[in-house]
Amino acid sequence: MNGVAARTRARELDRQRRWSVVRHVVARAAVYAVAAGAALVCAAPFLWGLVTAFVHDRGGPGASGGPIRTGRAPTAEHVRFLFRSTPFPAFVVNTLIVGSLVAVVTLALALPAAYALARLNRSWGTPARMAILLVYLVPPSLLFLSFSRIVATLGLADSFWALVLVYPTVTVPVSVWLLTGFLKAVPVDIEEQAMVDGHSRLGAFARVVAPLVFPGVVAVVVLAFTLSAGEFAYALTFVWSNARMPVSTGMPARLGNGDPLLWQSMQGGAVFVAVPLAMAANLFLDRFVAGVTPHR
Amino acid sequence: MRGVPARGRPRAGEKARLTDREGFLAWAFLLPSVVYLTALVAAPFCLTVAFAFSDANSAAPSYRFAGLRNFRAIFRDDVFWRALGDTLALTGLSMALVVFFGMILANVLLADFRGKWPVRLLVLLPWTTPVALSAISWRWLLDSAYSPVDPILRDAGVLHGGASLLGRPPLATASVVAVHVWRLTPLAAVILMAGLAAIPRDVGEAARLDGAGFWRRLFGVTIPLTLPVIVVAAVFGAAVTFADMAVVRVLTGGGPGASTQVLPALAYHRGVEDGDMGQGAAIALFLFPLLLAGVIGVLRAVRRPEDANDGEADGEEP
Amino acid sequence: MRGEPAGSERVGAAVKAVEARGLVKVYQGARKERVRALDGLNLTIGHGEYLVLLGPSGCGKTTLLRTIAGLEQPTEGEVHIGGHLANGLPPRLRRVAMVFQSYALYPHKTVRHNIEFPLKAEHVPRHMRERKVRWAADLLGIPHLLGRKPRHLSGGERQRVALARALVREPAVFLLDEPLSNLDAKLRATTRDELRRFQQEIGTTTIYVTHDQDEAMGLGDRVAVLDAGRLRQVGTPRDIYDEPADTFVATFVGSPPMNLVSRGDRLVGFRPEHLLPAENVAYDSRVTMPLRIDRIEYLSGDRHVYGSVTRIGLETRVIARLPATVITPLTVGETHEFAVPADRLRFFDAEYGTRTAPVRIGG
């Protein structure tokens, strides 16, 4: 009697064991499927752009069928055109300059502010942190009209200095938020140890705390760079000369209305800009996650 | 008694420097940011309000109070109402989809699998790429002589005649939503990853031992514990979608027939391109109450865990 | 509280190494209430002395240490270090060295640079720095670790590095905040011994915070018992154990703690090891009481007898610790006559818990 029950039980357990193996396999397959699908969807326009950037011009619109069916070897003609005969290199240089300057300004403002909020316990600490975070949510579209007036008054109209002045309004709040998380992860003991070891508060910050949040600093640089490279509304409003435009407005405004040749070149340009930025961000994805996570 | 090194006493002669004082440092560290943000966010905001009640335009930059005339003008304007409705619908729909896909993506990105690095790289592309560039790429993909989508839709009978994908109102709106979702899902996923990573491991494992399956764990443990982060992700995404004009401008240019016009693009159009700063400002100002609602949402979501933290810290105080 | 600390005359020197006068520290609590972490605290530490601050967690001992270090500013009162007023001086000017509970090693620096760090802060010339680092490393037996990063060190090694770093400054005072609490039990015992020998070798005044009474009794020249921000008693470990100033000290120190039996307006206290079966206590001066035995534990040779006593006061649950030499057979459930030598009884005020003069108890 008991033997039968035990055998039934064993068979039941076996069944469940097999079932859980199946479930595991299905779950793994789902993870891979979603990952692959997401990667494909996310990269779709760029992949398409990359392909079309290297195919021959079909000779004007109207012809039916995809460009791949032309059956000719890939060509670097469009890419060469992009770099030789369009202002694209100037756009990239402008973006790099603006991004670097914005990153420097952001860091200079945000690191001390984040330290003040994370460590120097004042009664206004939490409200101040909230207020700075909320500034991030104020959309550029609410401000650009006023900014255009301010920028004109300061004599910065049609100059990328206007962007250097204005972009930190976007980057500083996020960076303060991010760095506060990083700074809170540095044990207070270590800082106090540095103070007992003969440094002032400022010295402890500079010598011990700042090196320890270096990954956060780099994350902020990447973030500031990405945000300022992607900004559109301000760039559109403040800069209108070809030579001074950044990529984000330069490409749609100067290239986007032309012939298919330009369009094809531009796809190459988009990939050229997008991939390095994504790679930089990918390097610091884990840091971003760590920085956003509330630390106890 | 044992001898004590002569230098082993406080150097009372030296005074505490300014750099030792917490109070001073706190101000010195925070003030630059506060001054900067006040000057370049608070002040322009007030200026925008002032413009909204003036007849300022780019031709005659003098300020004259105009009362509610700008508001009356835009209230009578069909385009404005359509843009307002479109903006809201676009934002709401995009956010629902962004949070949904973001949650899936965050879970997958946190899982272990081979080839994680290239997948993450590709997934980050939409977020890190300048939005105008991605909009160009999308337009190229959806609506050009080279589009692979166009012929497929034509074969399927969705499109016919001369109109292209972005030239037909419902499809154009859907495309705009799709691009927003595509662009913001990675950002939401990164924020949600942070929330998911912060769930103590043992909570999930305890639920597993209690016999909870995947769905029960998702709705019983994961979502409630990450709710504040979900709200943050949604509001951040909403703020970006809501304020965005690049996608609409590049993808559809507001068309066809102002059917995808959104408030920020309209404000830009009126305020900068038409030169009527007063009306532009008045339109932009309509973003504010909606923004405020979002702000309150974030505040409530973020404040709760903050409070819990304070309690913990005080409990440890010797 | 018993006025001035009992052991203070032992210290002798005219200028004290550290003096705390009327220290009050008030924290703003979470719910807007104010917490008095230090509540009018006076304490004097002589040169070369090893003083242990002992108390339950939250008693203010760490706050006191941090106030001496300058990491906290007292709400009221004064801190003197080496005869100079230290109030308002930042930590770096106080010539104190602190070892944190977590050791707080700089994770991005090697052991050598960790130890060197305070010297660099004082702009000590390079050859001097190298000499001192070597000296400290030799003293603590860690020269082979100098090139490593803290994350590659074991708990005991980290602790030594932290001590070496504290040592090179030649501070007026060492402040140690529960330095053994992160070590496992076995390592703790050996390290305790080493800490003591090390301090005797260099002779620097040391203030040591712990909640572990074994550490406190084993290490301290004197022990200061704190509770709720107040000093309960300061004295040699022997004083603290044998002559507790009040019921808090009596029950906090000792394991198992002192038995307290309520008798009128007094509490009668006696240590578990003094409560023995009556036949083991000299007949002439003893106080006997019947003990009903509930439970017997057999711990490393000793018998711990749990039960309740009557006759000398209200019926009270007590613990008796019988050494292996006491072989009286005892069984659970029986009532046996126990006794305490009369000179081992301590008396406390029932209302305030303070020590009072002995009362005669017949029997």
Side-chain angles (χ1 to χ4, degrees), chain B residues 94-109:
Chain B
S94 303
M95 271 324 96
L97 292 171
V98 161
V99 168
F100 177 73
F101 288 124
M103 199 72 183
I104 294 174
L105 196 56
N107 272 296
V108 167
L109 288 182

Side-chain angles (χ1 to χ4, degrees), chain C residues 283-350:
Chain C
Y283 182 78
D284 46 352
S285 66
R286 68 179 188 187
V287 174
T288 60
M289 60 197 85
L291 188 148
R292 204 186 65 243
I293 302 167
D294 295 337
R295 196 156 63 84
I296 300 176
E297 285 175 1
Y298 194 75
L299 294 173
S300 42
D302 292 356
R303 275 184 292 175
H304 289 204
V305 179
Y306 294 75
S308 26
V309 293
T310 47
R311 195 187 310 147
I312 62 159
L314 295 177
E315 179 168 342
T316 313
R317 286 187 57 82
V318 296
I319 304 170
R321 196 169 87 201
L322 277 47
T325 48
V326 174
I327 50 167
T328 316
L330 296 170
T331 47
V332 173
E334 78 168 313
T335 302
H336 194 95
E337 196 71 3
F338 272 64
V340 179
D343 62 337
R344 291 302 188 178
L345 292 175
R346 300 290 177 266
F347 297 87
F348 303 95
D349 188 290

Side-chain angles (χ1 to χ4, degrees), chain A residues 28 32 41-42 48 52 57-58 109 124 136-137 139 142 145-147 149 165 168 200-202 248 267 274 282 286, chain B residues 19-20 22 30 33 36 40 44 48 61 112 114 117 120 129 132 137 140 145-146 182 236 243 268 280-281 284 291:
Chain A
R28 296 300 296 165
Y32 277 96
V41 170
C42 287
W48 185 246
T52 50
D57 189 13
R58 261 182 341 190
L109 288 172
W124 39 261
Y136 180 64
L137 295 175
L142 203 58
L145 283 172
S146 314
F147 271 142
R149 201 45 89 70
L165 176 74
S200 62
R201 189 50 109 144
L202 187 64
S248 64
Q267 298 314 312
N282 195 14
D286 296 320
Chain B
T19 49
D20 286 312
E22 271 196 23
L30 198 60
S33 293
Y36 174 83
L40 285 173
T48 303
D112 264 326
R114 277 160 202 273
W117 205 84
R120 287 199 335 190
T129 309
S137 288
W140 181 246
Y146 285 64
W182 172 83
F236 267 61
Y268 179 83
L291 172 75

Side-chain angles (χ1 to χ4, degrees), chain A residues 197-239:
Chain A
D197 280 350
H199 284 290
S200 62
R201 189 50 109 144
L202 187 64
F205 169 65
R207 273 159 207 278
V208 175
V209 181
L212 286 178
V213 294
F214 183 71
V217 167
V218 180
V220 162
V221 169
V222 170
L223 187 72
F225 219 94
T226 313
L227 284 177
S228 54
E231 208 286 329
F232 186 73
Y234 293 145
L236 190 65
T237 316
F238 302 150
V239 182

